[in-house]
Amino acid sequence: TAAGLTAIAVSLAAVVPAGLGVWQADTPAFFMNWSQHGIPDSSVVLIAPFFRDGAGASPMLWTAVAGGGVRMPEAYAYIPAADGTPMYGPPATNLSSIMEQIQDTGVVIVARGAERTAVAGELRRLTITAVIVGPMDKRGQMVAFFTDLFGRSPRDTDGVQLWANVQQEGVAPAPS
């Protein structure tokens, strides 16, 4: 009967999954021309925005486009905590906390004293060879933080700001 067919159609409509939402992220041209920027494969590159969960994970997409052996100290991954429970991404460090504070609040941070020393140590320990700031909210504040930290302006190239040779040049002494 027509009523029976209508009931079946309504029931099926309720169980048919809805379409997935569409998410689009623009990839800066820098990552499509990665090999032209002098960063060797298997380099460890710190990319802003920093992420440890699915929100803001565009840098993972960008590095996938770049191909090669790009490595990052950040990730959208479950990692076991010291007590064995899962946590999102790597444990927080002074550097990641500063980056997340800039991203979340837009505050301008200038690392001095023990904080600057700790951040410099983290960059060395993680063997960061380059820092890239890509498209993000509060981009100017993030660029200002790294410009002060390294004591030099980034190279603006193909939609990103790049500080290369971070391991060799290190963190600049704090201005007096």
Side-chain angles (χ1 to χ4, degrees), residues 39-40 42-46 71 73 95 118-131 149-150 152 162-172:
I39 300 173
S42 77
S43 293
V44 180
V45 179
L46 178 64
R71 296 182 300 151
L95 179 57
V119 167
E122 290 166 15
L123 289 166
R124 281 191 306 275
R125 180 180 56 78
L126 295 169
T127 65
I128 303 295
T129 57
V131 173
L149 189 67
F150 297 126
R152 59 189 166 101
L162 168 67
W163 290 266
N165 304 316
V166 170
Q167 279 294 308
Q168 292 87 356
E169 297 183 22
V171 169

PDB file of all heavy atoms in Angstrom, residues 39-40 42-46 71 73 95 118-131 149-150 152 162-172:
ATOM      1  N   ILE A  39      65.647  23.453   2.181  1.00  0.00           N
ATOM      2  CA  ILE A  39      65.473  22.707   3.425  1.00  0.00           C
ATOM      3  C   ILE A  39      65.591  21.229   3.070  1.00  0.00           C
ATOM      4  O   ILE A  39      64.761  20.685   2.345  1.00  0.00           O
ATOM      5  CB  ILE A  39      64.111  23.002   4.076  1.00  0.00           C
ATOM      6  CG1 ILE A  39      64.006  24.500   4.384  1.00  0.00           C
ATOM      7  CG2 ILE A  39      63.935  22.176   5.340  1.00  0.00           C
ATOM      8  CD1 ILE A  39      62.650  24.924   4.873  1.00  0.00           C
ATOM      9  N   PRO A  40      66.641  20.575   3.565  1.00  0.00           N
ATOM     10  CA  PRO A  40      66.858  19.168   3.186  1.00  0.00           C
ATOM     11  C   PRO A  40      65.744  18.258   3.683  1.00  0.00           C
ATOM     12  O   PRO A  40      65.117  18.522   4.710  1.00  0.00           O
ATOM     13  CB  PRO A  40      68.177  18.809   3.870  1.00  0.00           C
ATOM     14  CG  PRO A  40      68.758  20.076   4.363  1.00  0.00           C
ATOM     15  CD  PRO A  40      67.669  21.086   4.446  1.00  0.00           C
ATOM     16  N   SER A  42      64.142  15.230   5.583  1.00  0.00           N
ATOM     17  CA  SER A  42      64.341  14.738   6.947  1.00  0.00           C
ATOM     18  C   SER A  42      64.718  15.844   7.923  1.00  0.00           C
ATOM     19  O   SER A  42      65.075  15.570   9.055  1.00  0.00           O
ATOM     20  CB  SER A  42      65.350  13.578   7.006  1.00  0.00           C
ATOM     21  OG  SER A  42      66.677  14.037   6.897  1.00  0.00           O
ATOM     22  N   SER A  43      64.622  17.095   7.505  1.00  0.00           N
ATOM     23  CA  SER A  43      64.809  18.205   8.442  1.00  0.00           C
ATOM     24  C   SER A  43      63.637  18.221   9.413  1.00  0.00           C
ATOM     25  O   SER A  43      62.536  17.807   9.085  1.00  0.00           O
ATOM     26  CB  SER A  43      64.826  19.542   7.698  1.00  0.00           C
ATOM     27  OG  SER A  43      65.955  19.629   6.880  1.00  0.00           O
ATOM     28  N   VAL A  44      63.895  18.721  10.610  1.00  0.00           N
ATOM     29  CA  VAL A  44      62.822  18.916  11.576  1.00  0.00           C
ATOM     30  C   VAL A  44      62.431  20.385  11.497  1.00  0.00           C
ATOM     31  O   VAL A  44      63.258  21.269  11.728  1.00  0.00           O
ATOM     32  CB  VAL A  44      63.265  18.544  13.005  1.00  0.00           C
ATOM     33  CG1 VAL A  44      62.110  18.751  13.988  1.00  0.00           C
ATOM     34  CG2 VAL A  44      63.761  17.103  13.056  1.00  0.00           C
ATOM     35  N   VAL A  45      61.175  20.623  11.131  1.00  0.00           N
ATOM     36  CA  VAL A  45      60.692  21.970  10.879  1.00  0.00           C
ATOM     37  C   VAL A  45      59.535  22.277  11.834  1.00  0.00           C
ATOM     38  O   VAL A  45      58.588  21.499  11.928  1.00  0.00           O
ATOM     39  CB  VAL A  45      60.231  22.098   9.413  1.00  0.00           C
ATOM     40  CG1 VAL A  45      59.694  23.479   9.131  1.00  0.00           C
ATOM     41  CG2 VAL A  45      61.375  21.757   8.462  1.00  0.00           C
ATOM     42  N   LEU A  46      59.653  23.385  12.531  1.00  0.00           N
ATOM     43  CA  LEU A  46      58.575  23.848  13.402  1.00  0.00           C
ATOM     44  C   LEU A  46      57.679  24.755  12.576  1.00  0.00           C
ATOM     45  O   LEU A  46      58.164  25.711  11.966  1.00  0.00           O
ATOM     46  CB  LEU A  46      59.150  24.610  14.593  1.00  0.00           C
ATOM     47  CG  LEU A  46      58.132  25.190  15.571  1.00  0.00           C
ATOM     48  CD1 LEU A  46      57.330  24.083  16.248  1.00  0.00           C
ATOM     49  CD2 LEU A  46      58.846  26.042  16.609  1.00  0.00           C
ATOM     50  N   ARG A  71      59.768  16.463   8.839  1.00  0.00           N
ATOM     51  CA  ARG A  71      59.365  16.038  10.181  1.00  0.00           C
ATOM     52  C   ARG A  71      59.016  17.269  10.998  1.00  0.00           C
ATOM     53  O   ARG A  71      59.601  18.325  10.816  1.00  0.00           O
ATOM     54  CB  ARG A  71      60.494  15.263  10.862  1.00  0.00           C
ATOM     55  CG  ARG A  71      60.813  13.967  10.124  1.00  0.00           C
ATOM     56  CD  ARG A  71      61.897  13.160  10.790  1.00  0.00           C
ATOM     57  NE  ARG A  71      63.127  13.942  10.859  1.00  0.00           N
ATOM     58  CZ  ARG A  71      64.045  13.789  11.809  1.00  0.00           C
ATOM     59  NH1 ARG A  71      63.883  12.923  12.770  1.00  0.00           N
ATOM     60  NH2 ARG A  71      65.141  14.518  11.797  1.00  0.00           N
ATOM     61  N   PRO A  73      57.805  18.618  15.168  1.00  0.00           N
ATOM     62  CA  PRO A  73      57.689  18.215  16.571  1.00  0.00           C
ATOM     63  C   PRO A  73      56.252  18.286  17.080  1.00  0.00           C
ATOM     64  O   PRO A  73      55.996  18.095  18.251  1.00  0.00           O
ATOM     65  CB  PRO A  73      58.563  19.251  17.289  1.00  0.00           C
ATOM     66  CG  PRO A  73      58.443  20.463  16.446  1.00  0.00           C
ATOM     67  CD  PRO A  73      58.357  19.952  15.019  1.00  0.00           C
ATOM     68  N   LEU A  95      58.085  26.281  24.570  1.00  0.00           N
ATOM     69  CA  LEU A  95      57.880  26.822  23.225  1.00  0.00           C
ATOM     70  C   LEU A  95      56.454  26.577  22.726  1.00  0.00           C
ATOM     71  O   LEU A  95      55.789  27.488  22.239  1.00  0.00           O
ATOM     72  CB  LEU A  95      58.896  26.227  22.249  1.00  0.00           C
ATOM     73  CG  LEU A  95      58.793  26.674  20.802  1.00  0.00           C
ATOM     74  CD1 LEU A  95      58.896  28.190  20.671  1.00  0.00           C
ATOM     75  CD2 LEU A  95      59.879  25.992  19.971  1.00  0.00           C
ATOM     76  N   ALA A 118      65.205  28.406  28.093  1.00  0.00           N
ATOM     77  CA  ALA A 118      64.472  27.146  27.946  1.00  0.00           C
ATOM     78  C   ALA A 118      64.038  26.923  26.502  1.00  0.00           C
ATOM     79  O   ALA A 118      64.176  25.820  25.963  1.00  0.00           O
ATOM     80  CB  ALA A 118      63.259  27.136  28.876  1.00  0.00           C
ATOM     81  N   VAL A 119      63.532  27.960  25.866  1.00  0.00           N
ATOM     82  CA  VAL A 119      63.096  27.844  24.470  1.00  0.00           C
ATOM     83  C   VAL A 119      64.283  27.512  23.568  1.00  0.00           C
ATOM     84  O   VAL A 119      64.191  26.645  22.689  1.00  0.00           O
ATOM     85  CB  VAL A 119      62.373  29.130  24.004  1.00  0.00           C
ATOM     86  CG1 VAL A 119      62.195  29.148  22.494  1.00  0.00           C
ATOM     87  CG2 VAL A 119      61.027  29.255  24.710  1.00  0.00           C
ATOM     88  N   ALA A 120      65.417  28.162  23.802  1.00  0.00           N
ATOM     89  CA  ALA A 120      66.625  27.869  23.010  1.00  0.00           C
ATOM     90  C   ALA A 120      67.034  26.410  23.180  1.00  0.00           C
ATOM     91  O   ALA A 120      67.396  25.733  22.206  1.00  0.00           O
ATOM     92  CB  ALA A 120      67.761  28.798  23.415  1.00  0.00           C
ATOM     93  N   GLY A 121      66.966  25.918  24.410  1.00  0.00           N
ATOM     94  CA  GLY A 121      67.299  24.516  24.674  1.00  0.00           C
ATOM     95  C   GLY A 121      66.351  23.560  23.977  1.00  0.00           C
ATOM     96  O   GLY A 121      66.769  22.519  23.451  1.00  0.00           O
ATOM     97  N   GLU A 122      65.067  23.900  23.945  1.00  0.00           N
ATOM     98  CA  GLU A 122      64.085  23.050  23.267  1.00  0.00           C
ATOM     99  C   GLU A 122      64.341  23.000  21.765  1.00  0.00           C
ATOM    100  O   GLU A 122      64.251  21.940  21.147  1.00  0.00           O
ATOM    101  CB  GLU A 122      62.671  23.545  23.546  1.00  0.00           C
ATOM    102  CG  GLU A 122      62.238  23.322  24.976  1.00  0.00           C
ATOM    103  CD  GLU A 122      60.988  24.087  25.363  1.00  0.00           C
ATOM    104  OE1 GLU A 122      60.263  24.597  24.474  1.00  0.00           O
ATOM    105  OE2 GLU A 122      60.716  24.175  26.570  1.00  0.00           O
ATOM    106  N   LEU A 123      64.660  24.136  21.173  1.00  0.00           N
ATOM    107  CA  LEU A 123      64.968  24.155  19.734  1.00  0.00           C
ATOM    108  C   LEU A 123      66.162  23.257  19.426  1.00  0.00           C
ATOM    109  O   LEU A 123      66.164  22.531  18.430  1.00  0.00           O
ATOM    110  CB  LEU A 123      65.231  25.586  19.259  1.00  0.00           C
ATOM    111  CG  LEU A 123      64.006  26.504  19.206  1.00  0.00           C
ATOM    112  CD1 LEU A 123      64.434  27.954  19.061  1.00  0.00           C
ATOM    113  CD2 LEU A 123      63.078  26.091  18.074  1.00  0.00           C
ATOM    114  N   ARG A 124      67.185  23.301  20.291  1.00  0.00           N
ATOM    115  CA  ARG A 124      68.362  22.437  20.093  1.00  0.00           C
ATOM    116  C   ARG A 124      68.002  20.965  20.305  1.00  0.00           C
ATOM    117  O   ARG A 124      68.366  20.106  19.506  1.00  0.00           O
ATOM    118  CB  ARG A 124      69.489  22.831  21.046  1.00  0.00           C
ATOM    119  CG  ARG A 124      70.282  24.045  20.611  1.00  0.00           C
ATOM    120  CD  ARG A 124      71.558  24.237  21.451  1.00  0.00           C
ATOM    121  NE  ARG A 124      71.282  24.284  22.876  1.00  0.00           N
ATOM    122  CZ  ARG A 124      70.912  25.377  23.550  1.00  0.00           C
ATOM    123  NH1 ARG A 124      70.758  26.526  22.922  1.00  0.00           N
ATOM    124  NH2 ARG A 124      70.681  25.320  24.849  1.00  0.00           N
ATOM    125  N   ARG A 125      67.296  20.674  21.400  1.00  0.00           N
ATOM    126  CA  ARG A 125      66.946  19.288  21.737  1.00  0.00           C
ATOM    127  C   ARG A 125      66.085  18.654  20.645  1.00  0.00           C
ATOM    128  O   ARG A 125      66.249  17.483  20.316  1.00  0.00           O
ATOM    129  CB  ARG A 125      66.215  19.252  23.079  1.00  0.00           C
ATOM    130  CG  ARG A 125      65.810  17.859  23.541  1.00  0.00           C
ATOM    131  CD  ARG A 125      65.084  17.879  24.880  1.00  0.00           C
ATOM    132  NE  ARG A 125      63.916  18.736  24.917  1.00  0.00           N
ATOM    133  CZ  ARG A 125      62.717  18.434  24.412  1.00  0.00           C
ATOM    134  NH1 ARG A 125      62.542  17.285  23.791  1.00  0.00           N
ATOM    135  NH2 ARG A 125      61.701  19.270  24.513  1.00  0.00           N
ATOM    136  N   LEU A 126      65.170  19.422  20.089  1.00  0.00           N
ATOM    137  CA  LEU A 126      64.287  18.919  19.036  1.00  0.00           C
ATOM    138  C   LEU A 126      64.945  18.942  17.659  1.00  0.00           C
ATOM    139  O   LEU A 126      64.350  18.520  16.683  1.00  0.00           O
ATOM    140  CB  LEU A 126      62.991  19.737  19.006  1.00  0.00           C
ATOM    141  CG  LEU A 126      62.112  19.616  20.250  1.00  0.00           C
ATOM    142  CD1 LEU A 126      61.008  20.669  20.233  1.00  0.00           C
ATOM    143  CD2 LEU A 126      61.532  18.215  20.368  1.00  0.00           C
ATOM    144  N   THR A 127      66.146  19.459  17.580  1.00  0.00           N
ATOM    145  CA  THR A 127      66.922  19.616  16.335  1.00  0.00           C
ATOM    146  C   THR A 127      66.156  20.365  15.248  1.00  0.00           C
ATOM    147  O   THR A 127      66.201  19.996  14.068  1.00  0.00           O
ATOM    148  CB  THR A 127      67.462  18.268  15.800  1.00  0.00           C
ATOM    149  OG1 THR A 127      66.379  17.429  15.407  1.00  0.00           O
ATOM    150  CG2 THR A 127      68.340  17.564  16.817  1.00  0.00           C
ATOM    151  N   ILE A 128      65.461  21.427  15.660  1.00  0.00           N
ATOM    152  CA  ILE A 128      64.707  22.252  14.713  1.00  0.00           C
ATOM    153  C   ILE A 128      65.702  22.946  13.782  1.00  0.00           C
ATOM    154  O   ILE A 128      66.601  23.628  14.238  1.00  0.00           O
ATOM    155  CB  ILE A 128      63.861  23.316  15.448  1.00  0.00           C
ATOM    156  CG1 ILE A 128      62.912  22.677  16.457  1.00  0.00           C
ATOM    157  CG2 ILE A 128      63.122  24.211  14.453  1.00  0.00           C
ATOM    158  CD1 ILE A 128      61.850  21.812  15.874  1.00  0.00           C
ATOM    159  N   THR A 129      65.532  22.750  12.478  1.00  0.00           N
ATOM    160  CA  THR A 129      66.430  23.380  11.511  1.00  0.00           C
ATOM    161  C   THR A 129      65.810  24.605  10.846  1.00  0.00           C
ATOM    162  O   THR A 129      66.523  25.437  10.299  1.00  0.00           O
ATOM    163  CB  THR A 129      66.849  22.377  10.419  1.00  0.00           C
ATOM    164  OG1 THR A 129      65.676  21.876   9.795  1.00  0.00           O
ATOM    165  CG2 THR A 129      67.661  21.236  11.014  1.00  0.00           C
ATOM    166  N   ALA A 130      64.468  24.682  10.875  1.00  0.00           N
ATOM    167  CA  ALA A 130      63.787  25.823  10.274  1.00  0.00           C
ATOM    168  C   ALA A 130      62.472  26.058  11.011  1.00  0.00           C
ATOM    169  O   ALA A 130      61.884  25.132  11.564  1.00  0.00           O
ATOM    170  CB  ALA A 130      63.515  25.570   8.788  1.00  0.00           C
ATOM    171  N   VAL A 131      62.038  27.312  11.011  1.00  0.00           N
ATOM    172  CA  VAL A 131      60.739  27.686  11.574  1.00  0.00           C
ATOM    173  C   VAL A 131      59.962  28.376  10.466  1.00  0.00           C
ATOM    174  O   VAL A 131      60.491  29.259   9.780  1.00  0.00           O
ATOM    175  CB  VAL A 131      60.892  28.619  12.795  1.00  0.00           C
ATOM    176  CG1 VAL A 131      59.530  29.125  13.261  1.00  0.00           C
ATOM    177  CG2 VAL A 131      61.619  27.900  13.930  1.00  0.00           C
ATOM    178  N   LEU A 149      63.028  36.351  18.889  1.00  0.00           N
ATOM    179  CA  LEU A 149      63.782  35.185  19.370  1.00  0.00           C
ATOM    180  C   LEU A 149      65.059  34.969  18.569  1.00  0.00           C
ATOM    181  O   LEU A 149      66.127  34.720  19.140  1.00  0.00           O
ATOM    182  CB  LEU A 149      62.891  33.937  19.298  1.00  0.00           C
ATOM    183  CG  LEU A 149      63.447  32.684  19.958  1.00  0.00           C
ATOM    184  CD1 LEU A 149      63.536  32.860  21.473  1.00  0.00           C
ATOM    185  CD2 LEU A 149      62.568  31.481  19.619  1.00  0.00           C
ATOM    186  N   PHE A 150      64.960  35.067  17.253  1.00  0.00           N
ATOM    187  CA  PHE A 150      66.130  34.812  16.413  1.00  0.00           C
ATOM    188  C   PHE A 150      66.950  36.069  16.125  1.00  0.00           C
ATOM    189  O   PHE A 150      68.035  35.993  15.563  1.00  0.00           O
ATOM    190  CB  PHE A 150      65.715  34.143  15.102  1.00  0.00           C
ATOM    191  CG  PHE A 150      65.091  32.793  15.310  1.00  0.00           C
ATOM    192  CD1 PHE A 150      63.843  32.499  14.794  1.00  0.00           C
ATOM    193  CD2 PHE A 150      65.742  31.805  16.042  1.00  0.00           C
ATOM    194  CE1 PHE A 150      63.254  31.260  14.989  1.00  0.00           C
ATOM    195  CE2 PHE A 150      65.170  30.557  16.247  1.00  0.00           C
ATOM    196  CZ  PHE A 150      63.921  30.292  15.724  1.00  0.00           C
ATOM    197  N   ARG A 152      66.380  38.344  14.002  1.00  0.00           N
ATOM    198  CA  ARG A 152      66.408  38.657  12.567  1.00  0.00           C
ATOM    199  C   ARG A 152      65.016  38.455  11.989  1.00  0.00           C
ATOM    200  O   ARG A 152      64.217  37.680  12.510  1.00  0.00           O
ATOM    201  CB  ARG A 152      67.424  37.795  11.829  1.00  0.00           C
ATOM    202  CG  ARG A 152      67.172  36.308  11.931  1.00  0.00           C
ATOM    203  CD  ARG A 152      68.332  35.484  11.354  1.00  0.00           C
ATOM    204  NE  ARG A 152      68.265  34.099  11.726  1.00  0.00           N
ATOM    205  CZ  ARG A 152      67.832  33.114  10.947  1.00  0.00           C
ATOM    206  NH1 ARG A 152      67.430  33.381   9.712  1.00  0.00           N
ATOM    207  NH2 ARG A 152      67.826  31.867  11.360  1.00  0.00           N
ATOM    208  N   LEU A 162      59.870  32.422   6.773  1.00  0.00           N
ATOM    209  CA  LEU A 162      60.817  31.327   6.988  1.00  0.00           C
ATOM    210  C   LEU A 162      62.067  31.821   7.683  1.00  0.00           C
ATOM    211  O   LEU A 162      62.684  32.796   7.244  1.00  0.00           O
ATOM    212  CB  LEU A 162      61.185  30.703   5.635  1.00  0.00           C
ATOM    213  CG  LEU A 162      62.362  29.729   5.607  1.00  0.00           C
ATOM    214  CD1 LEU A 162      62.027  28.455   6.377  1.00  0.00           C
ATOM    215  CD2 LEU A 162      62.744  29.406   4.159  1.00  0.00           C
ATOM    216  N   TRP A 163      62.427  31.137   8.748  1.00  0.00           N
ATOM    217  CA  TRP A 163      63.735  31.303   9.378  1.00  0.00           C
ATOM    218  C   TRP A 163      64.453  29.985   9.142  1.00  0.00           C
ATOM    219  O   TRP A 163      64.070  28.951   9.691  1.00  0.00           O
ATOM    220  CB  TRP A 163      63.620  31.539  10.880  1.00  0.00           C
ATOM    221  CG  TRP A 163      63.052  32.860  11.258  1.00  0.00           C
ATOM    222  CD1 TRP A 163      63.748  33.999  11.543  1.00  0.00           C
ATOM    223  CD2 TRP A 163      61.672  33.196  11.417  1.00  0.00           C
ATOM    224  NE1 TRP A 163      62.882  35.013  11.857  1.00  0.00           N
ATOM    225  CE2 TRP A 163      61.592  34.547  11.783  1.00  0.00           C
ATOM    226  CE3 TRP A 163      60.478  32.482  11.278  1.00  0.00           C
ATOM    227  CZ2 TRP A 163      60.387  35.194  12.019  1.00  0.00           C
ATOM    228  CZ3 TRP A 163      59.278  33.121  11.500  1.00  0.00           C
ATOM    229  CH2 TRP A 163      59.251  34.461  11.862  1.00  0.00           C
ATOM    230  N   ALA A 164      65.472  29.993   8.309  1.00  0.00           N
ATOM    231  CA  ALA A 164      66.251  28.789   8.016  1.00  0.00           C
ATOM    232  C   ALA A 164      67.498  28.794   8.887  1.00  0.00           C
ATOM    233  O   ALA A 164      67.810  29.782   9.561  1.00  0.00           O
ATOM    234  CB  ALA A 164      66.619  28.752   6.538  1.00  0.00           C
ATOM    235  N   ASN A 165      68.230  27.716   8.876  1.00  0.00           N
ATOM    236  CA  ASN A 165      69.498  27.584   9.600  1.00  0.00           C
ATOM    237  C   ASN A 165      69.358  27.868  11.094  1.00  0.00           C
ATOM    238  O   ASN A 165      70.253  28.426  11.713  1.00  0.00           O
ATOM    239  CB  ASN A 165      70.570  28.497   8.997  1.00  0.00           C
ATOM    240  CG  ASN A 165      70.760  28.241   7.526  1.00  0.00           C
ATOM    241  OD1 ASN A 165      70.816  27.088   7.100  1.00  0.00           O
ATOM    242  ND2 ASN A 165      70.809  29.296   6.739  1.00  0.00           N
ATOM    243  N   VAL A 166      68.253  27.474  11.670  1.00  0.00           N
ATOM    244  CA  VAL A 166      67.992  27.739  13.085  1.00  0.00           C
ATOM    245  C   VAL A 166      69.020  27.037  13.973  1.00  0.00           C
ATOM    246  O   VAL A 166      69.491  27.616  14.956  1.00  0.00           O
ATOM    247  CB  VAL A 166      66.548  27.329  13.449  1.00  0.00           C
ATOM    248  CG1 VAL A 166      66.306  27.350  14.943  1.00  0.00           C
ATOM    249  CG2 VAL A 166      65.568  28.240  12.724  1.00  0.00           C
ATOM    250  N   GLN A 167      69.404  25.813  13.638  1.00  0.00           N
ATOM    251  CA  GLN A 167      70.387  25.092  14.459  1.00  0.00           C
ATOM    252  C   GLN A 167      71.747  25.791  14.428  1.00  0.00           C
ATOM    253  O   GLN A 167      72.403  25.923  15.452  1.00  0.00           O
ATOM    254  CB  GLN A 167      70.558  23.644  13.984  1.00  0.00           C
ATOM    255  CG  GLN A 167      69.499  22.704  14.482  1.00  0.00           C
ATOM    256  CD  GLN A 167      69.538  22.504  15.988  1.00  0.00           C
ATOM    257  OE1 GLN A 167      70.573  22.192  16.565  1.00  0.00           O
ATOM    258  NE2 GLN A 167      68.399  22.700  16.627  1.00  0.00           N
ATOM    259  N   GLN A 168      72.167  26.252  13.258  1.00  0.00           N
ATOM    260  CA  GLN A 168      73.479  26.883  13.138  1.00  0.00           C
ATOM    261  C   GLN A 168      73.495  28.268  13.784  1.00  0.00           C
ATOM    262  O   GLN A 168      74.449  28.634  14.462  1.00  0.00           O
ATOM    263  CB  GLN A 168      73.905  27.020  11.664  1.00  0.00           C
ATOM    264  CG  GLN A 168      74.197  25.716  10.984  1.00  0.00           C
ATOM    265  CD  GLN A 168      72.927  25.086  10.393  1.00  0.00           C
ATOM    266  OE1 GLN A 168      71.819  25.559  10.535  1.00  0.00           O
ATOM    267  NE2 GLN A 168      73.116  23.935   9.756  1.00  0.00           N
ATOM    268  N   GLU A 169      72.462  29.057  13.567  1.00  0.00           N
ATOM    269  CA  GLU A 169      72.450  30.440  14.047  1.00  0.00           C
ATOM    270  C   GLU A 169      71.936  30.572  15.468  1.00  0.00           C
ATOM    271  O   GLU A 169      72.319  31.499  16.183  1.00  0.00           O
ATOM    272  CB  GLU A 169      71.650  31.322  13.083  1.00  0.00           C
ATOM    273  CG  GLU A 169      72.304  31.374  11.707  1.00  0.00           C
ATOM    274  CD  GLU A 169      71.590  32.303  10.745  1.00  0.00           C
ATOM    275  OE1 GLU A 169      70.870  33.207  11.214  1.00  0.00           O
ATOM    276  OE2 GLU A 169      71.752  32.116   9.538  1.00  0.00           O
ATOM    277  N   GLY A 170      71.050  29.674  15.880  1.00  0.00           N
ATOM    278  CA  GLY A 170      70.542  29.673  17.249  1.00  0.00           C
ATOM    279  C   GLY A 170      69.693  30.876  17.594  1.00  0.00           C
ATOM    280  O   GLY A 170      69.351  31.718  16.761  1.00  0.00           O
ATOM    281  N   VAL A 171      69.373  30.947  18.876  1.00  0.00           N
ATOM    282  CA  VAL A 171      68.569  32.044  19.422  1.00  0.00           C
ATOM    283  C   VAL A 171      69.486  33.221  19.676  1.00  0.00           C
ATOM    284  O   VAL A 171      70.598  33.062  20.194  1.00  0.00           O
ATOM    285  CB  VAL A 171      67.859  31.585  20.712  1.00  0.00           C
ATOM    286  CG1 VAL A 171      67.229  32.732  21.454  1.00  0.00           C
ATOM    287  CG2 VAL A 171      66.816  30.522  20.380  1.00  0.00           C
ATOM    288  N   ALA A 172      69.033  34.392  19.322  1.00  0.00           N
ATOM    289  CA  ALA A 172      69.826  35.621  19.518  1.00  0.00           C
ATOM    290  C   ALA A 172      69.850  35.987  21.003  1.00  0.00           C
ATOM    291  O   ALA A 172      68.891  35.717  21.733  1.00  0.00           O
ATOM    292  CB  ALA A 172      69.232  36.751  18.712  1.00  0.00           C
TER     293      ALA A 172
END
